[in-house]
Amino acid sequence: MKIAVCISHVPDTATNIKIGEDGKTIDKSGVTYVLNPYDEIAIEEALKTKEKIGGEVVAISLGDDSNKESIKKALAMGVDSGVLLKDSNYRDSVSLAKALAEEIKAQGAELVFFGKQAVDYDNSITGQLTAEFLGYNCVSVAVGFTLEDNKITAEREIEGGKEVMETTLPAVITTQKGLNEPRYASLKGIMAAKRKTIEEKDAATFDNFVEVVAMKRPQGKQAGKILGSDASAVPELVRLLKEEAKVI
Ligand SMILES: Cc1cc2nc3c(=O)[nH]c(=O)nc-3n(C[C@H](O)[C@H](O)[C@H](O)COP(=O)(O)OP(=O)(O)OC[C@H]3O[C@@H](n4cnc5c(N)ncnc54)[C@H](O)[C@@H]3O)c2cc1C
């Protein structure tokens, strides 16, 4: 069976992000990009599934040439081949998901793993949208996954417990921390990755329905106020919490 895993190339969370001169995109200069951490979990689950039932895993990423770094990391972890859908223009999640769905269909993949969220734009929706465009079943934010014959059993964390879901192939699964422990790329894997192919093609274009009009940095924290050091400060504290902070 063909298994696909969709991966995003995102700024390292330790990077100090600056807003670009246009006020609506990030300034990419000096930004270190990495494979999205949730997508490492998706790759691990795809590889574990292949090791159990056989088949082939393809990693698909939409973006510019720099996304090849994350595809190479996936190949070094053990993914069989990669596809770069080339586009460096802004895409909303719908346009992204439509292009991914088209490629997944062309690949004939019946099982598709996504991370639950890309840690840059945080929409947490691409997997679910792609499932809808493909007409596949979908379980999101999975912390457990098994596939027996055609039947998938997946677990999701909910408030105070776990939910156990069953569905059938074809399906999209979005992965959450706790599902597995992603493997490190071994030296053998890194060497083997050099012989694996990354197919490059222009990403299919679709209309965007959402446009980013501005990006803003969070306001800096205000200095704290010291109202006093004994009980006499309490009335003023209560007044400020009510009238200024409006939290009581
Ligand atoms: C070329 C490009 C330029 C963009 N420029 C901007 C911009 O300037 N400003 C802005 O706010 N947003 C921008 N975006 C982000 C866009 O608005 C969407 O938010 C984004 O495409 C999907 O949302 P997300 O990254 O939050 O993914 P989520 O929905 O949070 O991601 C969930 C999962 O979807 C998969 N996934 C996500 N992205 C990709 C990908 N590119 N390829 C393959 N799989 C993926 C991964 O498995 C990921 O874990 C850009 C996107 C692209 C592709």
Side-chain angles (χ1 to χ4, degrees), residues 6-7 36 39 62 89 91 96 115 118 121-126:
C6 292
I7 60 173
N36 182 40
D39 301 352
L62 190 150
N89 298 314
R91 275 188 184 247
L96 170 67
Y121 298 112
D122 286 337
N123 283 298
S124 312
I125 197 175
T126 307

Side-chain angles (χ1 to χ4, degrees), residues 31-51:
V31 176
T32 308
Y33 280 78
V34 295
L35 172 61
N36 182 40
Y38 290 107
D39 301 352
E40 291 188 20
I41 302 170
I43 292 169
E44 177 62 34
E45 207 56 29
L47 293 173
K48 275 172 63 183
T49 307
K50 174 192 150 175
E51 284 156 7

Side-chain angles (χ1 to χ4, degrees), residues 5-10 22 24-26 28 36-39 42 60-64 67 85-97 100 113-130 174-175 208 210-212 214-215:
V5 57
C6 292
I7 60 173
S8 182
H9 191 57
V10 297
D22 63 2
K24 51 185 181 179
T25 53
I26 67 165
K28 290 188 172 181
N36 182 40
Y38 290 107
D39 301 352
I60 304 169
S61 191
L62 190 150
D64 61 27
N67 286 39
L85 298 174
K86 290 176 86 157
D87 190 7
S88 41
N89 298 314
Y90 168 74
R91 275 188 184 247
D92 67 14
S93 304
V94 169
S95 166
L96 170 67
L100 292 175
F113 290 98
F114 283 76
K116 72 147 188 159
Q117 174 182 1
V119 298
D120 50 1
Y121 298 112
D122 286 337
N123 283 298
S124 312
I125 197 175
T126 307
Q128 297 89 319
L129 283 172
T130 308
T174 80
T175 60
N208 288 321
V210 177
E211 184 193 354
V212 178
M215 277 189 184

Side-chain angles (χ1 to χ4, degrees), residues 69-89:
E69 264 179 62
S70 284
I71 300 177
K72 280 182 193 159
K73 179 162 183 193
L75 297 177
M77 285 172 75
V79 164
D80 298 289
S81 60
V83 178
L84 172 66
L85 298 174
K86 290 176 86 157
D87 190 7
S88 41
N89 298 314

Side-chain angles (χ1 to χ4, degrees), residues 80-243:
D80 298 289
S81 60
V83 178
L84 172 66
L85 298 174
K86 290 176 86 157
D87 190 7
S88 41
N89 298 314
Y90 168 74
R91 275 188 184 247
D92 67 14
S93 304
V94 169
S95 166
L96 170 67
K98 282 183 177 168
L100 292 175
E102 204 160 272
E103 181 58 28
I104 290 161
K105 215 184 291 169
Q107 292 282 340
E110 282 183 82
L111 177 60
V112 190
F113 290 98
F114 283 76
K116 72 147 188 159
Q117 174 182 1
V119 298
D120 50 1
Y121 298 112
D122 286 337
N123 283 298
S124 312
I125 197 175
T126 307
Q128 297 89 319
L129 283 172
T130 308
E132 176 64 21
F133 295 133
L134 284 164
Y136 284 15
N137 298 322
C138 182
V139 180
S140 61
V141 201
V143 292
F145 174 83
T146 53
L147 173 65
E148 298 283 344
D149 300 323
N150 190 35
K151 195 179 87 183
I152 289 167
T153 307
E155 285 182 9
R156 305 178 71 247
E157 261 169 11
I158 52 170
E159 192 62 37
K162 273 188 184 166
E163 195 176 43
V164 182
M165 324 272 290
E166 280 184 2
T167 190
T168 50
L169 292 173
V172 166
I173 308 294
T174 80
T175 60
Q176 163 70 314
K177 252 187 282 181
L179 175 62
N180 57 44
E181 201 53 56
R183 67 194 67 186
Y184 288 104
S186 62
L187 184 59
K188 194 172 154 216
I190 295 167
M191 297 313 285
K194 293 186 200 271
R195 294 188 299 276
K196 295 178 182 171
T197 53
I198 299 178
E199 190 184 350
E200 294 181 39
K201 43 175 113 165
D202 289 334
T205 49
F206 298 96
D207 289 340
N208 288 321
F209 295 99
V210 177
E211 184 193 354
V212 178
V213 291
M215 277 189 184
K216 293 177 185 170
R217 292 196 68 84
Q219 280 184 335
K221 278 191 184 154
Q222 287 177 340
K225 278 185 196 166
I226 296 174
L227 301 174
S229 55
D230 57 30
S232 67
V234 171
E236 178 61 359
L237 174 65
V238 170
R239 188 191 71 76
L240 290 173
L241 288 173
K242 250 189 204 161
E243 293 174 16

